[in-house]
Amino acid sequence: MKSKLISIFAVVTVTVLFYSWLCLACIAKQNNVSQEDYARMSQEIVEQSWQKK
């Protein structure tokens, strides 16, 4: 009985870890910034810093 509980706990733990990893991967992919947007935002920051001087 004890080994069966340990097996069930192990399966649940692995399932939860796998699901969490998938959720994190989806979130990271949704927040991805394209190269063009990154370059544009970087240029805007540089321009704003020059305007402040």
Side-chain angles (χ1 to χ4, degrees):
M1 180 71 178
K2 188 175 183 180
S3 64
K4 188 174 183 180
L5 286 175
I6 293 173
S7 298
I8 291 171
F9 179 75
V11 168
V12 169
T13 302
V14 169
T15 303
V16 167
L17 289 174
F18 181 71
Y19 181 74
S20 299
W21 180 80
L22 284 178
C23 288
L24 287 174
C26 289
I27 291 169
K29 192 172 186 177
Q30 287 176 350
N31 291 331
N32 188 24
V33 177
S34 69
Q35 291 284 43
E36 294 82 15
D37 287 339
Y38 184 79
R40 179 185 52 78
M41 289 186 288
S42 298
Q43 185 63 35
E44 288 176 2
I45 291 171
V46 170
E47 290 172 0
Q48 289 173 2
S49 69
W50 279 107
Q51 290 173 358
K52 289 181 181 178
K53 292 183 179 181

